[in-house]
Amino acid sequence: MAMNIDTESSIRVRSLTPSMDNVGGARKSGLSCAECRRSKLKCDRVFPCQSCIRRGCANICPEGTLAATKGNKVLMAHAQRLSEQVKNMTGRIKELEEALHESQKSNRARSEPHPLLQTPSHSHEHAELPELQTIYDDEVLDVSESIGSLSIDVDGRTKYHGESVGSEYFQPLFPPDGCPPPQSVSTDPKYLGLPFEIIDLCNAYPFGLRDSQYTKFLFLPFLPPRARALQLMELYYRNVAWMFDPIVRDDFMTNILTPLYGHTGSPNVNNIHSHRLSVFFIVLASGVLYEQSTSSGVLAEQYHALSRAALSIDPIYQDATCATVQALFMTFGHIYQSDRTNNEGRWILMGVVVRVAQLIGLQRDNAGWGLGQEEIQRRRVLFWEIYTVDAWTSILHGRPPALSINHTDCRFPEDLDPTIKPSGTVEMGWHAWKVRYSASCLGISVQHVFSTRVSSYSTLLELDRKIRKFNLPSHLQSPIEASEAGRSWSPEAPRAMQQYAALCQTEANLMYIHRSWFVQAIREAPANPLQHKYAPSVLAVYRSACRLISSLNGLYQVHSTPTDRTWFFWSAIFSACIVLGAIVVDSPQCTLASNALKELEKGMVLYEEGSLPCRPPATVPVLHKLRERAFTSLQAAQRDTRQSQSRRSSINSGDSDALGTWKSGIASTSWRFSSPASSASASDSDRHSSEPSDADTSMYYAALANPNLVLPATGEFEPCHAATSQEDISAPSPFFDPALQAAIMMPSTQSNQSIAGPSSSMPPPRPLPLSYQQVAPQNYYVNEAYHNNNQEEVWRKYIENLGVMKP
């Protein structure tokens, strides 16, 4: 066959020789064209050859070649079209320039040519580049000031904490000297007396085994009798589910407990999925923690290990259901209650919870998917519980959340526990209020805290105002003082815990969002931070700390259990003690210092007694050291004040006279605000210079910024318009719409707020209706070193000096 092909080729070459002589000229006969040789294509040697004609390059055949680029034909066609577009656009630009030139001629007032008619020079084009770089660099500087802190130990292990991180989350990095290691039950399944198969499944948690050879019958020997299971379930719903309830009691009974035990009471694991079996075990684990028994800790860890093993039988990425998310989420809650040292493990597990929830579409409302009403309610309940915990976890860790309010349209679940007042008015229950607060206030707080761009201070005050305005049902309002008219703790422990949880959510939220501004004020104006421009943050942090301590003290006296095991409460108390001690240590001459030390003493006694079952052991020595420093600092300041009082009076006699006149004016005015109209006497320029622009907000913070003020630490902040808020908080969730979020943050001009009377330690001061800038002078001392660090780094160094961390 090869011989035949060669013979035919030679015959064809000879037959084409005359044509080559006529076309190619100086070329040798019998050669293919240059492009066919380059492309290794068969050439018919009749020029232009058919190969070049088909490829659209007949004009270069036989001598020329194309560039070595794939798709030459396509590129050339594109080049021709682009060339035509350039010609058309150039002509159009000339027409528009001529029209603009004619239009400018008619406007004789303009002497210089229009900027669009000016020919850009080469130097001008390059001059724009540094300007753009400068803008970008400025934005980067704004970001870097609030970037948080990165901790790297000697082994290279790295952890990031943002500016909202709770004080105790820094503490494990630098434990105080002499602190004993925490003593707890081992969480390793190898030391819990469980068989090898269970241990193997535990090691595959949370993703599970892809090709598991194990079956659910492994767990049959570990199932307790039905009566025992009901007992532990009751402990769970009484002591745990009052706060976060991802699986309501009826759902647990109908879909897990009843199928598992049937009507005879004999367990049968074939009737439920392995992930529902995992939910069953984690309910038992969380419930047994609150059993008064010496073996409850070991039993809790055994049930916890069984829950992890049951989840691992079927991999979560193949068999994900609502039960999968429930099991993971409840494991997160169990670890939070039982193991205070596993902060990073909980953080990672929460990320897994969110990803699996998104995998099954919980973030989207499912009313249009044809699901049953029971499944719709289950999915809505589960999503909003996850969203709330994810947002709070992110604030406490100082890291961005995994869920964003902008990415969901999931509606609120039905209120399963409303409260009917004697008047017949129906108020929403705790869980319904909690998810609405999370969507409207907590979600915006998260966006404010973790935004990479520095927000203005007026934006912070608007967020503060929104949190305080959010309506709280009367049955969830907790007493602050020991005896308070119209308020009392519920005799039922779960209800009372929900009362304090509502206050703790709002006050801790305020304390965390104001804290970095509080640090700046107390650092830049240590003599009197109430004269700093961020004085509202000083007062807000102080007031929230006092209210958290006072209210929890009352709750602990009534319901010591499960208060003593709820670390969420004690974490806020620990942070409250830190900021109170900070006021005394760094600003002992401030009018709040004396009361802050008293509140610190009260908070320490409460914390040391009440948090024993759940606190990290190193936190108590930290508070003792802080109290010693605060006491020493206040004593030194009082001694220095007495020694230098006469000398300062002689030097500043003129200023003292003026200040005395101003104080007397304050004492002669009304303390309680009745309407924004009370500031009508202020000049227009004063009102326009006020920050923020909202009249009642500026009046409130102007009063707080009064340097002579001794704030009622636990006084109620009474927004008179709270009951008539324009927000329909019972409506389904609209907060996924960014436009609605922006509308929420707009200031209201029709609201007014009032402040409870001061404590009995001094006569009621009556501040003038001044704008904030009038009260806070602008010639404050600015510490330039502060601006060279991010805010969380300043807070970290700050609490190092207070004794919270070992430097």
mmCIF file with all atom_site columns, all heavy atoms in Angstrom, residues 4 52 56 143 157-158 160 171 400 536 602 624 748 794:
data_model
loop_
_atom_site.group_PDB
_atom_site.id
_atom_site.type_symbol
_atom_site.label_atom_id
_atom_site.label_alt_id
_atom_site.label_comp_id
_atom_site.label_asym_id
_atom_site.label_entity_id
_atom_site.label_seq_id
_atom_site.pdbx_PDB_ins_code
_atom_site.Cartn_x
_atom_site.Cartn_y
_atom_site.Cartn_z
_atom_site.occupancy
_atom_site.B_iso_or_equiv
_atom_site.pdbx_formal_charge
_atom_site.auth_seq_id
_atom_site.auth_comp_id
_atom_site.auth_asym_id
_atom_site.auth_atom_id
_atom_site.pdbx_PDB_model_num
ATOM 1   N N   . ASN A 1 4   ? 2.076   2.101  -3.507 1.00 0.00 ? 4   ASN A N   1
ATOM 2   C CA  . ASN A 1 4   ? 1.053   2.698  -4.348 1.00 0.00 ? 4   ASN A CA  1
ATOM 3   C C   . ASN A 1 4   ? 0.887   4.185  -4.038 1.00 0.00 ? 4   ASN A C   1
ATOM 4   O O   . ASN A 1 4   ? 0.709   5.009  -4.927 1.00 0.00 ? 4   ASN A O   1
ATOM 5   C CB  . ASN A 1 4   ? -0.278  1.977  -4.150 1.00 0.00 ? 4   ASN A CB  1
ATOM 6   C CG  . ASN A 1 4   ? -0.225  0.538  -4.656 1.00 0.00 ? 4   ASN A CG  1
ATOM 7   O OD1 . ASN A 1 4   ? 0.606   0.250  -5.524 1.00 0.00 ? 4   ASN A OD1 1
ATOM 8   N ND2 . ASN A 1 4   ? -1.078  -0.317 -4.135 1.00 0.00 ? 4   ASN A ND2 1
ATOM 9   N N   . CYS A 1 52  ? -5.364  26.979 1.956  1.00 0.00 ? 52  CYS A N   1
ATOM 10  C CA  . CYS A 1 52  ? -5.304  28.402 2.338  1.00 0.00 ? 52  CYS A CA  1
ATOM 11  C C   . CYS A 1 52  ? -6.625  29.100 2.071  1.00 0.00 ? 52  CYS A C   1
ATOM 12  O O   . CYS A 1 52  ? -7.022  29.996 2.826  1.00 0.00 ? 52  CYS A O   1
ATOM 13  C CB  . CYS A 1 52  ? -4.177  29.087 1.561  1.00 0.00 ? 52  CYS A CB  1
ATOM 14  S SG  . CYS A 1 52  ? -2.517  28.549 2.065  1.00 0.00 ? 52  CYS A SG  1
ATOM 15  N N   . GLY A 1 56  ? -9.040  31.057 4.927  1.00 0.00 ? 56  GLY A N   1
ATOM 16  C CA  . GLY A 1 56  ? -9.207  32.496 4.804  1.00 0.00 ? 56  GLY A CA  1
ATOM 17  C C   . GLY A 1 56  ? -7.912  33.267 4.641  1.00 0.00 ? 56  GLY A C   1
ATOM 18  O O   . GLY A 1 56  ? -7.872  34.462 4.939  1.00 0.00 ? 56  GLY A O   1
ATOM 19  N N   . VAL A 1 143 ? -9.142  50.572 57.100 1.00 0.00 ? 143 VAL A N   1
ATOM 20  C CA  . VAL A 1 143 ? -9.385  49.178 57.445 1.00 0.00 ? 143 VAL A CA  1
ATOM 21  C C   . VAL A 1 143 ? -8.430  48.710 58.527 1.00 0.00 ? 143 VAL A C   1
ATOM 22  O O   . VAL A 1 143 ? -8.817  48.060 59.486 1.00 0.00 ? 143 VAL A O   1
ATOM 23  C CB  . VAL A 1 143 ? -9.241  48.288 56.185 1.00 0.00 ? 143 VAL A CB  1
ATOM 24  C CG1 . VAL A 1 143 ? -9.330  46.831 56.572 1.00 0.00 ? 143 VAL A CG1 1
ATOM 25  C CG2 . VAL A 1 143 ? -10.327 48.637 55.186 1.00 0.00 ? 143 VAL A CG2 1
ATOM 26  N N   . ARG A 1 157 ? 1.293   28.485 66.320 1.00 0.00 ? 157 ARG A N   1
ATOM 27  C CA  . ARG A 1 157 ? -0.159  28.368 66.314 1.00 0.00 ? 157 ARG A CA  1
ATOM 28  C C   . ARG A 1 157 ? -0.771  29.765 66.338 1.00 0.00 ? 157 ARG A C   1
ATOM 29  O O   . ARG A 1 157 ? -0.409  30.590 67.157 1.00 0.00 ? 157 ARG A O   1
ATOM 30  C CB  . ARG A 1 157 ? -0.636  27.544 67.505 1.00 0.00 ? 157 ARG A CB  1
ATOM 31  C CG  . ARG A 1 157 ? -0.265  26.075 67.398 1.00 0.00 ? 157 ARG A CG  1
ATOM 32  C CD  . ARG A 1 157 ? -0.618  25.302 68.648 1.00 0.00 ? 157 ARG A CD  1
ATOM 33  N NE  . ARG A 1 157 ? 0.173   25.757 69.782 1.00 0.00 ? 157 ARG A NE  1
ATOM 34  C CZ  . ARG A 1 157 ? 0.191   25.171 70.981 1.00 0.00 ? 157 ARG A CZ  1
ATOM 35  N NH1 . ARG A 1 157 ? -0.551  24.112 71.185 1.00 0.00 ? 157 ARG A NH1 1
ATOM 36  N NH2 . ARG A 1 157 ? 0.943   25.649 71.950 1.00 0.00 ? 157 ARG A NH2 1
ATOM 37  N N   . THR A 1 158 ? -1.710  29.984 65.452 1.00 0.00 ? 158 THR A N   1
ATOM 38  C CA  . THR A 1 158 ? -2.232  31.320 65.204 1.00 0.00 ? 158 THR A CA  1
ATOM 39  C C   . THR A 1 158 ? -3.730  31.371 65.500 1.00 0.00 ? 158 THR A C   1
ATOM 40  O O   . THR A 1 158 ? -4.469  30.452 65.160 1.00 0.00 ? 158 THR A O   1
ATOM 41  C CB  . THR A 1 158 ? -1.986  31.727 63.735 1.00 0.00 ? 158 THR A CB  1
ATOM 42  O OG1 . THR A 1 158 ? -0.607  31.561 63.439 1.00 0.00 ? 158 THR A OG1 1
ATOM 43  C CG2 . THR A 1 158 ? -2.389  33.163 63.491 1.00 0.00 ? 158 THR A CG2 1
ATOM 44  N N   . TYR A 1 160 ? -7.034  34.397 65.539 1.00 0.00 ? 160 TYR A N   1
ATOM 45  C CA  . TYR A 1 160 ? -7.470  35.765 65.262 1.00 0.00 ? 160 TYR A CA  1
ATOM 46  C C   . TYR A 1 160 ? -8.643  36.123 66.162 1.00 0.00 ? 160 TYR A C   1
ATOM 47  O O   . TYR A 1 160 ? -9.546  35.317 66.370 1.00 0.00 ? 160 TYR A O   1
ATOM 48  C CB  . TYR A 1 160 ? -7.890  35.899 63.799 1.00 0.00 ? 160 TYR A CB  1
ATOM 49  C CG  . TYR A 1 160 ? -8.589  37.213 63.513 1.00 0.00 ? 160 TYR A CG  1
ATOM 50  C CD1 . TYR A 1 160 ? -7.859  38.390 63.366 1.00 0.00 ? 160 TYR A CD1 1
ATOM 51  C CD2 . TYR A 1 160 ? -9.968  37.274 63.414 1.00 0.00 ? 160 TYR A CD2 1
ATOM 52  C CE1 . TYR A 1 160 ? -8.490  39.592 63.129 1.00 0.00 ? 160 TYR A CE1 1
ATOM 53  C CE2 . TYR A 1 160 ? -10.610 38.467 63.174 1.00 0.00 ? 160 TYR A CE2 1
ATOM 54  C CZ  . TYR A 1 160 ? -9.871  39.628 63.027 1.00 0.00 ? 160 TYR A CZ  1
ATOM 55  O OH  . TYR A 1 160 ? -10.509 40.825 62.799 1.00 0.00 ? 160 TYR A OH  1
ATOM 56  N N   . GLN A 1 171 ? -7.998  35.281 77.755 1.00 0.00 ? 171 GLN A N   1
ATOM 57  C CA  . GLN A 1 171 ? -7.393  34.797 78.992 1.00 0.00 ? 171 GLN A CA  1
ATOM 58  C C   . GLN A 1 171 ? -6.588  33.503 78.834 1.00 0.00 ? 171 GLN A C   1
ATOM 59  O O   . GLN A 1 171 ? -5.511  33.379 79.400 1.00 0.00 ? 171 GLN A O   1
ATOM 60  C CB  . GLN A 1 171 ? -8.496  34.642 80.045 1.00 0.00 ? 171 GLN A CB  1
ATOM 61  C CG  . GLN A 1 171 ? -8.026  34.708 81.474 1.00 0.00 ? 171 GLN A CG  1
ATOM 62  C CD  . GLN A 1 171 ? -7.569  33.356 81.927 1.00 0.00 ? 171 GLN A CD  1
ATOM 63  O OE1 . GLN A 1 171 ? -8.100  32.349 81.485 1.00 0.00 ? 171 GLN A OE1 1
ATOM 64  N NE2 . GLN A 1 171 ? -6.597  33.322 82.809 1.00 0.00 ? 171 GLN A NE2 1
ATOM 65  N N   . PRO A 1 400 ? -16.049 37.224 62.017 1.00 0.00 ? 400 PRO A N   1
ATOM 66  C CA  . PRO A 1 400 ? -17.292 37.381 61.240 1.00 0.00 ? 400 PRO A CA  1
ATOM 67  C C   . PRO A 1 400 ? -18.145 36.123 61.292 1.00 0.00 ? 400 PRO A C   1
ATOM 68  O O   . PRO A 1 400 ? -17.634 35.000 61.378 1.00 0.00 ? 400 PRO A O   1
ATOM 69  C CB  . PRO A 1 400 ? -16.788 37.657 59.815 1.00 0.00 ? 400 PRO A CB  1
ATOM 70  C CG  . PRO A 1 400 ? -15.391 38.137 59.981 1.00 0.00 ? 400 PRO A CG  1
ATOM 71  C CD  . PRO A 1 400 ? -14.847 37.441 61.199 1.00 0.00 ? 400 PRO A CD  1
ATOM 72  N N   . PRO A 1 536 ? -20.445 59.279 75.696 1.00 0.00 ? 536 PRO A N   1
ATOM 73  C CA  . PRO A 1 536 ? -21.605 58.383 75.676 1.00 0.00 ? 536 PRO A CA  1
ATOM 74  C C   . PRO A 1 536 ? -21.233 56.910 75.763 1.00 0.00 ? 536 PRO A C   1
ATOM 75  O O   . PRO A 1 536 ? -21.936 56.134 76.398 1.00 0.00 ? 536 PRO A O   1
ATOM 76  C CB  . PRO A 1 536 ? -22.275 58.720 74.337 1.00 0.00 ? 536 PRO A CB  1
ATOM 77  C CG  . PRO A 1 536 ? -21.919 60.129 74.088 1.00 0.00 ? 536 PRO A CG  1
ATOM 78  C CD  . PRO A 1 536 ? -20.518 60.283 74.617 1.00 0.00 ? 536 PRO A CD  1
ATOM 79  N N   . LYS A 1 602 ? -19.352 44.044 94.219 1.00 0.00 ? 602 LYS A N   1
ATOM 80  C CA  . LYS A 1 602 ? -20.571 43.238 94.174 1.00 0.00 ? 602 LYS A CA  1
ATOM 81  C C   . LYS A 1 602 ? -20.488 42.178 93.076 1.00 0.00 ? 602 LYS A C   1
ATOM 82  O O   . LYS A 1 602 ? -20.884 41.024 93.260 1.00 0.00 ? 602 LYS A O   1
ATOM 83  C CB  . LYS A 1 602 ? -21.777 44.143 93.943 1.00 0.00 ? 602 LYS A CB  1
ATOM 84  C CG  . LYS A 1 602 ? -23.105 43.403 94.075 1.00 0.00 ? 602 LYS A CG  1
ATOM 85  C CD  . LYS A 1 602 ? -24.307 44.118 93.482 1.00 0.00 ? 602 LYS A CD  1
ATOM 86  C CE  . LYS A 1 602 ? -24.335 45.589 93.697 1.00 0.00 ? 602 LYS A CE  1
ATOM 87  N NZ  . LYS A 1 602 ? -25.591 46.197 93.189 1.00 0.00 ? 602 LYS A NZ  1
ATOM 88  N N   . HIS A 1 624 ? -9.391  39.189 91.172 1.00 0.00 ? 624 HIS A N   1
ATOM 89  C CA  . HIS A 1 624 ? -8.790  39.604 92.448 1.00 0.00 ? 624 HIS A CA  1
ATOM 90  C C   . HIS A 1 624 ? -7.655  40.601 92.219 1.00 0.00 ? 624 HIS A C   1
ATOM 91  O O   . HIS A 1 624 ? -7.550  41.616 92.928 1.00 0.00 ? 624 HIS A O   1
ATOM 92  C CB  . HIS A 1 624 ? -8.266  38.372 93.203 1.00 0.00 ? 624 HIS A CB  1
ATOM 93  C CG  . HIS A 1 624 ? -9.329  37.628 93.945 1.00 0.00 ? 624 HIS A CG  1
ATOM 94  N ND1 . HIS A 1 624 ? -9.899  38.110 95.099 1.00 0.00 ? 624 HIS A ND1 1
ATOM 95  C CD2 . HIS A 1 624 ? -9.927  36.429 93.699 1.00 0.00 ? 624 HIS A CD2 1
ATOM 96  C CE1 . HIS A 1 624 ? -10.803 37.251 95.540 1.00 0.00 ? 624 HIS A CE1 1
ATOM 97  N NE2 . HIS A 1 624 ? -10.840 36.211 94.708 1.00 0.00 ? 624 HIS A NE2 1
ATOM 98  N N   . SER A 1 748 ? -35.272 58.694 63.947 1.00 0.00 ? 748 SER A N   1
ATOM 99  C CA  . SER A 1 748 ? -36.658 59.134 64.077 1.00 0.00 ? 748 SER A CA  1
ATOM 100 C C   . SER A 1 748 ? -36.688 60.498 64.739 1.00 0.00 ? 748 SER A C   1
ATOM 101 O O   . SER A 1 748 ? -35.986 60.761 65.696 1.00 0.00 ? 748 SER A O   1
ATOM 102 C CB  . SER A 1 748 ? -37.446 58.129 64.920 1.00 0.00 ? 748 SER A CB  1
ATOM 103 O OG  . SER A 1 748 ? -38.710 58.630 65.225 1.00 0.00 ? 748 SER A OG  1
ATOM 104 N N   . VAL A 1 794 ? -5.425  47.650 71.100 1.00 0.00 ? 794 VAL A N   1
ATOM 105 C CA  . VAL A 1 794 ? -5.431  48.583 72.228 1.00 0.00 ? 794 VAL A CA  1
ATOM 106 C C   . VAL A 1 794 ? -6.165  47.964 73.409 1.00 0.00 ? 794 VAL A C   1
ATOM 107 O O   . VAL A 1 794 ? -5.708  48.040 74.557 1.00 0.00 ? 794 VAL A O   1
ATOM 108 C CB  . VAL A 1 794 ? -6.090  49.908 71.804 1.00 0.00 ? 794 VAL A CB  1
ATOM 109 C CG1 . VAL A 1 794 ? -6.292  50.807 73.016 1.00 0.00 ? 794 VAL A CG1 1
ATOM 110 C CG2 . VAL A 1 794 ? -5.227  50.619 70.780 1.00 0.00 ? 794 VAL A CG2 1
#
